[in-house]
């Protein structure tokens, strides 16, 4: 995920450096090269211990804190918070924003990946750089720019008002912000896979007279299936958890423009700790599901397109 | 060279058209409005806005905490990647999976739970309270949250490089009699150094702009623990759009410069490896 | 006494037996080629000598000392890796200097390192390229750097894993003779691994043939060529054809119940019907099946008594054509039984020697 921002200089899938041989790709055995002395064992234990400590403090404890705080006043209080009407409407808005982002970004991802990997044209590098901008922009700035475009001071505002459309501090704004921050999430998973695959198969299909649509569905899509699903998972994770950008555009109206993370904020700022953590626990569960799905899809996306 | 063969595949016009239209509507035009609104300020006013004491203090807080957090992440990220790739031990898979948590967990949830964890009643805050160190609502707390946010960037940048690292480099150094420490310093580290810089750069970029996980733990005291995104938020609430744009523009320029620097490292690196003379 | 000695070495990877009771000894100063098909265990032997693998059982003795317990970093052996494993982020100079700076006998004296590295770069013909990075060198130059790097700390034993595998065919030829010369000049005991018989014949003083984790035979190239002791060696070395039933061919005394035999192109004299054939009466008639131009000779595939084998003709000789009936006289053949090879000479040759 991290390196994708750098797509302009991203390294191609590595070509085989070794010449063919029965025993390529060995990993070194440090225990053979050096005596496995007390010193190296201590270093090893220390590093493993440090890693466990880090993960425990930074990852496990925060999750445990959510559960502890959520259940502080017992199961009934927890249940009440989770099934609260405002919570339900926040869940609905979160789902709506997530699905919108998925739909729009899928359309964009497929078209962009097709254009970028199957053709040569001027300005391709610039285009790939521009596509990656949303992930490098602070979420607050992402929210800000939509306020600037559609807000009270925009030249568009009078027209929108006449048409009865409200974007800022309303649901469309929340959706726009979510789409923006997750914009490149699907295309950046598809592009490397399609790039590695090349254009030979599509060319062969086109020469045999296949239409663009059947080339895509029959030839291209099977290759990118897992990468696509992987992108969907990443996009979902970010979309349902987006806070900063949505926070700027939402106006925090309970039951109307609050997504789950925003509702968590409202509760927390209002010193309603137990409900805040209870609502958080819903997001924690979703995060865990996403982590698991991510691992599965990532594995499949890496081990090749053909399988299953 | 344009190869005729590439044009055999249909759909260039349609796909490029859709791509550019969507990109313009969702990304380019909104971003351009930032420049438009900033341009409404005179240069003098612009300078005034971004050199306002409170704004400068926020830049400082954002930068220092993000920088320290990214340094910690660079070190911890290399250690975690190393442990995950090189050692076999029970629980390795769990650590590997948990590294991704910051990508999957909504920042607001991370924010409130880290706050609860490090406040003087939390599990960690309580321990540090004994020795008189406050974490939540201080810069330490901000850094703590940013370490959480940034760690996967470094680990995921370094890990694949370590995995692909050809064992024969270490063997070659080992056969010549180099110690483990020398092999790490002289042979392995140069191989992962570009990835460490990349991870550091990406983590820093993310940390500077981070909002959700920081607002709760920061305490948001002007001049002390107020971060830049919060200043923008405050300007917005005062309907001072021009100032908000100006500050945002500075941040944007910073993150683009950072990305550019990261790319530069990559380019230099490919040069050494691929050999242009 | 052998300088490097392996005694009853066994090594398995799971079910795969990489070394099966391997024993051999190497004299000091010799250049040895470990030759075998891929997967025959030759690289494993090399890596065990270097200490990069441990044998499951058996002893490795270098200069009279059992070295099994000594880690690779303390054995003081030079190793040239198949992909060279040049440190990509170090210049050529730093690569060659590595062993001098960080080895067991690390040199504090910078002047000495400087001199020694330049001396080695001179030796391998790369003087002046010290400040380049490996990526800026050609394949052959990289190989030379790897060689210089392995030699820098003055190892008493040099191991090379498929040293020419990654190089273009043309440069390879040149590098082979270069490497042989330099190793002879330095007098360092060396072992190299290869799957290419021509390479082994040309470079090695002695060849060890491996197959399925076992040592098939050890000897000088000419010994192995002339006197293969196992069926594998007889078939592996040289370009071989088979006689399905050699007893159908004249003048070979049958041995036991064996009928299959190995025949090499140089064992066969092929003559056109109108040409002079000294042993006409002992020659067999054959049909030409295939004629290929091989650059400096012509290879002719023939069929006789249901067997297919290969003969050679000089370029100056009259051409034969496919389908033509020709005479073939076979000087000698190898018959193999239970992995033992026996040489059978054409009896008409013996009669003649008796006459003389």
């Amino acid at each position: 995920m991290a390196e994708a921002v750098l797509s302009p200089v991203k390294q191609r899938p590595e070509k085989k450096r070794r010449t063919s041989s029965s025993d390529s790709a060995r990993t070194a055995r440090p225990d053979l090269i050096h005596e496995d002395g007390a010193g190296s064992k201590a270093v090893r234990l220390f590093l493993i211990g440090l890693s466990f400590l880090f993960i425990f403090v930074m990852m496990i404890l925060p999750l445990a804190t959510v559960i502890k705080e959520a259940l502080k006043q017992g199961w009934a209080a927890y249940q009440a918070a989770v099934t609260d009407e405002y919570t339900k409407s926040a869940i609905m808005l979160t789902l709506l924003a997530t699905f919108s982002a998925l739909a729009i970004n899928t359309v964009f991802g497929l078209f962009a990946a097709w254009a970028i990997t199957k053709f040569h044209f001027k300005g391709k590098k610039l285009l790939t750089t521009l596509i990656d901008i949303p992930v490098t922009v602070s979420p607050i700035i992402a929210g800000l720019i939509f306020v600037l475009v559609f807000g009270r001071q925009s030249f568009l505002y009078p027209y929108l008002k006449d048409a009865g459309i409200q974007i800022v501090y309303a649901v469309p704004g929340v959706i726009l912000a979510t789409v923006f921050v997750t914009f490149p999430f699907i295309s950046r998973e598809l592009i490397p896979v399609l790039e590695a695959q090349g254009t030979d198969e599509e060319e062969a299909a086109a020469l045999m007279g296949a239409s663009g649509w059947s080339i895509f569905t029959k030839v291209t899509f099977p290759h990118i299936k897992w990468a696509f699903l992987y992108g969907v998972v990443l996009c979902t994770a970010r979309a349902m958890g987006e806070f900063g950008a949505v926070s700027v555009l939402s106006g925090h109206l309970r039951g109307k423009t609050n997504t789950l993370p925003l509702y968590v904020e409202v509760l927390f700022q209002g010193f309603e700790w137990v409900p805040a953590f209870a609502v958080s626990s819903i997001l924690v569960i979703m995060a865990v599901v996403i982590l698991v799905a991510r691992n599965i899809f990532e594995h499949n996306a890496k081990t090749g397109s053909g399988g299953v | 060279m344009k190869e005729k063969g590439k044009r055999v595949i249909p759909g260039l016009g349609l796909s490029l058209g859709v791509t550019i239209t969507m990109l313009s509507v969702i990304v380019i035009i909104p971003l351009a409005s930032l420049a438009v609104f900033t341009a409404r300020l005179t240069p003098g006013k612009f300078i005034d806005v971004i050199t306002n004491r409170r704004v400068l203090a926020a830049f400082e807080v954002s930068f220092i905490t993000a920088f320290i957090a990214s340094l910690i992440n660079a070190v911890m990220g290399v250690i975690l990647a190393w442990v995950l790739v090189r050692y076999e031990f029970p629980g390795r898979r769990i650590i590997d999976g948990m590294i991704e948590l910051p990508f999957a967990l909504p920042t607001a949830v991370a924010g409130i739970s880290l706050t609860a964890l490090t406040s003087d009643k939390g599990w960690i805050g309580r321990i540090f309270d004994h020795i008189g160190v406050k974490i939540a609502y201080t810069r330490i707390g901000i850094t703590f949250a940013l370490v959480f946010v940034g760690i996967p960037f470094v680990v995921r940048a370094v890990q694949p490089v370590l995995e692909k690292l050809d064992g024969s480099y270490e063997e070659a150094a080992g056969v010549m009699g180099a110690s483990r420490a020398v092999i790490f310093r002289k042979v392995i580290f140069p191989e992962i150094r570009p990835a460490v810089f990349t991870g550091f750069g990406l983590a820093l970029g993310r940390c500077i702009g981070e909002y959700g996980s920081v607002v709760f733990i920061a305490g948001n005291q002007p001049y002390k623990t107020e971060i830049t995104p919060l200043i923008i938020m405050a300007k917005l609430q005062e309907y001072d759009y021009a100032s908000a744009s100006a500050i945002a523009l500075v941040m944007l320029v910073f993150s683009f410069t950072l990305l550019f620097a990261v790319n530069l490292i990559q380019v230099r690196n490919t040069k050494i490896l691929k050999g242009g003379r | 006494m052998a300088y490097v000695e392996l005694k009853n070495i066994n090594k398995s990877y799971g079910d795969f037996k990489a070394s099966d009771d391997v024993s051999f000894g190497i004299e000091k100063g010799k250049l040895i080629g470990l030759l075998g098909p891929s997967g025959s265990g030759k690289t494993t032997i090399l890596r065990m000598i270097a200490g990069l693998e441990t044998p499951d059982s058996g002893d490795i003795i270098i200069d009279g000392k059992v070295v099994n317990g000594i880690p690779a970093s303390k054995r003081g052996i030079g190793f040239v890796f198949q992909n060279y494993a040049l440190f990509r982020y170090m210049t050529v100079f730093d690569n060659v200097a590595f062993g001098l700076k960080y080895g067991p006998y690390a040199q504090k004296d910078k002047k000495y390192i400087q001199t020694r590295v330049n001396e080695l770069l001179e030796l391998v013909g790369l003087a002046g390229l010290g400040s380049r990075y490996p990526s800026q060198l050609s394949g052959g130059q990289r190989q030379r750097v790897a060689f210089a790097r392995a030699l820098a700390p003055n190892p008493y034993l040099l191991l090379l894993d498929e040293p020419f595998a990654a190089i273009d065919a043309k440069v390879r030829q040149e590098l082979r003779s270069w490497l042989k010369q330099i190793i002879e000049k330095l007098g360092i005991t060396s072992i190299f691994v290869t799957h290419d018989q021509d390479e082994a014949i040309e470079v090695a003083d002695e060849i060890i043939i491996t197959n399925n984790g076992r040592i098939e035979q050890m000897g000088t190239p000419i010994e192995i060529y002339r006197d293969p002791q196992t069926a594998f060696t007889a078939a592996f070395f040289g370009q071989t054809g088979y006689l399905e039933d050699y007893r159908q061919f004249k003048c070979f005394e049958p041995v036991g119940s064996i009928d299959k035999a190995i025949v090499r192109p140089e064992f066969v004299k092929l003559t056109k019907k109108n040409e002079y054939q000294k042993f006409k009466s002992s020659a067999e008639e054959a049909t030409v099946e295939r004629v290929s131009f091989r650059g400096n000779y012509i290879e002719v595939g023939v069929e006789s008594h249901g067997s297919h084998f290969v003969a050679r003709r000089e370029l100056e000789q009259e051409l034969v054509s496919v389908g033509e009936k020709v005479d073939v006289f076979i000087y000698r053949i190898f018959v193999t039984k239970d992995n033992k090879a026996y040489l059978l000479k054409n009896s008409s040759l013996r009669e003649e020697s008796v006459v003389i």
Side-chain angles (χ1 to χ4, degrees), chain A residues 72-86:
Chain A
K72 211 176 194 171
Q73 292 168 6
W75 184 247
Y78 175 80
Q79 242 179 345
V82 170
T83 53
D84 180 84
E85 199 184 316
Y86 291 135

Side-chain angles (χ1 to χ4, degrees), chain C residues 202-330:
Chain C
E202 194 181 319
V203 180
D205 297 330
E206 275 181 51
I207 294 175
I208 297 172
I209 296 199
T210 59
N211 180 39
N212 281 334
R214 284 187 307 272
I215 302 293
E216 293 279 339
Q217 193 171 351
M218 177 172 177
T220 62
I222 200 92
E223 275 168 15
I224 288 181
Y225 174 77
R226 280 213 181 131
D227 191 14
Q229 280 165 9
T230 66
F232 177 81
T233 313
F236 183 66
F237 224 61
Q239 187 188 14
T240 47
Y242 289 94
L243 300 185
E244 295 299 331
D245 183 359
Y246 71 89
R247 279 171 293 196
Q248 290 176 352
F249 290 76
K250 283 172 235 168
C251 305
F252 288 107
E253 286 161 17
V255 184
S257 56
I258 320 158
D259 30 52
K260 240 187 159 175
I262 291 166
V263 58
R264 291 184 182 149
E266 51 278 28
F267 296 174
V268 180
K269 184 166 174 70
L270 184 149
T271 48
K272 285 171 85 84
K273 288 288 184 192
N274 60 0
E275 283 173 341
Y276 169 67
Q277 166 65 277
K278 192 174 172 188
F279 304 100
K280 192 100 181 177
S281 58
S282 323
E284 302 281 344
E285 190 177 76
T287 314
V288 175
E289 292 183 310
R290 170 174 71 80
V291 179
S292 342
F293 177 54
R294 291 288 182 211
N296 42 11
Y297 64 90
I298 292 188
E299 191 179 288
V300 185
V302 295
E303 184 272 331
S304 181
H305 295 298
S307 298
H308 305 266
F309 51 95
V310 176
R312 283 181 191 162
R313 301 260 301 169
E314 301 286 317
L315 289 174
E316 286 75 24
Q317 290 175 302
E318 201 181 326
L319 284 172
V320 293
S321 48
V322 174
E324 190 179 334
K325 299 281 182 211
V326 292
D327 287 326
V328 288
F329 174 75
I330 301 173

Side-chain angles (χ1 to χ4, degrees), chain A residues 94-157:
Chain A
T94 300
L95 288 178
L96 175 67
T98 304
F99 283 126
S100 311
L102 275 180
I104 293 173
N105 295 337
T106 298
V107 171
F108 174 77
L110 291 175
F111 277 110
W114 184 263
I116 285 169
T117 59
K118 300 297 167 195
F119 306 101
H120 284 283
F121 53 87
K122 267 190 189 162
K124 196 163 161 178
K125 265 202 169 151
L126 179 69
L127 186 64
T128 50
T129 314
L130 287 174
I131 290 174
D132 270 332
I133 281 185
V135 286
T136 67
V137 167
S138 169
I140 291 296
I141 298 180
L144 167 68
I145 57 179
F146 287 105
V147 172
L148 296 180
V149 174
F150 298 111
R152 203 176 287 269
Q153 67 305 314
S154 162
F155 73 94
L156 285 175
Y157 187 72

Side-chain angles (χ1 to χ4, degrees), chain A residues 1-3 5-6 8-9 11 14 17-18 26-31 33-37 40 43-44 47-48 50-52 54-55 57-66 68-69 104 107-108 111-112 114-115 118-121 127 130-131 133-134 136-141 144-149 152-154 169 179-180 183 199 202-203 206-207 211-212 215 237 240-241 243-244 247-248 261 264-265 268-269 273 276-277 280 283-284 287 290-291 294-295, chain B residues 2-3 5-12 14-16 18-20 22-23 26-31 33-34 37 40 73 76 79-80 82-83 87-91 95 97-109 112-117 121 123-124 126 144 147-148 151 153 156 164 166-171 174-175 178-180 183 198 202 209-212 215-216 229 232-233 236 239 241 244-245 248 251-252 255-256 259 262-263 266-267 269-270:
Chain A
M1 177 165 204
E3 72 275 53
V5 182
L6 306 164
V9 287
Q11 289 181 9
E14 211 166 312
R17 214 170 346 113
R18 284 171 169 271
R26 284 175 198 275
T27 43
R29 299 267 310 274
D31 52 322
I33 297 172
H34 300 96
E35 286 141 332
D36 209 12
S40 62
V43 168
R44 183 192 158 95
L47 292 179
I48 293 176
L50 191 61
S51 298
F52 269 111
F54 184 87
I55 294 293
V57 170
M58 298 305 299
M59 313 286 164
I60 312 264
L61 280 185
L63 290 184
T65 302
V66 172
K68 174 194 145 204
E69 297 290 336
I104 293 173
V107 171
F108 174 77
F111 277 110
W114 184 263
K118 300 297 167 195
F119 306 101
H120 284 283
F121 53 87
L127 186 64
L130 287 174
I131 290 174
I133 281 185
T136 67
V137 167
S138 169
I140 291 296
I141 298 180
L144 167 68
I145 57 179
F146 287 105
V147 172
L148 296 180
V149 174
R152 203 176 287 269
Q153 67 305 314
S154 162
Y169 309 131
V179 170
F180 179 89
F183 195 58
T199 56
E202 282 80 5
E203 275 165 18
L207 289 172
S211 70
I215 292 177
M240 70 168 209
F243 177 70
S247 174
V248 175
V264 168
E265 184 199 16
F268 189 79
Q269 306 289 34
W273 275 45
F277 282 99
S280 293
L283 288 165
V284 167
I290 280 169
L291 269 187
R294 209 192 114 95
N295 274 325
Chain B
K2 269 189 187 143
E3 296 151 63
K6 301 286 176 200
R7 291 292 161 84
V8 170
I9 304 169
L12 172 63
L14 176 68
S15 58
L16 201 56
V18 172
T19 305
I20 290 177
M22 290 182 79
L23 189 65
I26 296 171
V27 179
I28 299 175
I29 296 173
L31 267 180
S33 67
L34 205 58
F37 272 86
R40 290 185 184 175
N73 278 334
M76 265 327 289
I79 292 175
L80 281 164
W82 177 264
V83 165
Y87 300 148
E88 199 57 58
F89 56 93
I95 291 192
M98 291 299 274
I99 297 283
E100 303 281 334
L101 185 70
F103 285 154
L105 193 69
T107 50
V109 176
I112 65 166
S113 70
L114 290 175
T115 309
L117 185 62
K121 291 194 193 76
W123 284 322
I124 293 179
R126 211 182 304 160
F144 189 75
V147 168
F148 173 84
I151 190 68
F153 288 94
R156 291 304 182 234
K164 266 189 247 152
D166 193 327
S168 61
Y169 294 120
E170 285 153 72
E171 290 180 346
V175 168
S179 66
R180 283 177 204 256
I183 293 179
T198 304
L202 293 175
E210 178 57 23
Y211 178 73
V215 272
F216 302 105
I232 297 177
M233 199 70 168
L236 262 179
Y239 300 104
Y241 295 110
S245 309
M251 280 181 76
L252 214 55
S255 30
F256 286 166
L259 268 190
V262 168
N263 275 2
Q266 298 264 344
V267 169
N269 184 45
T270 357

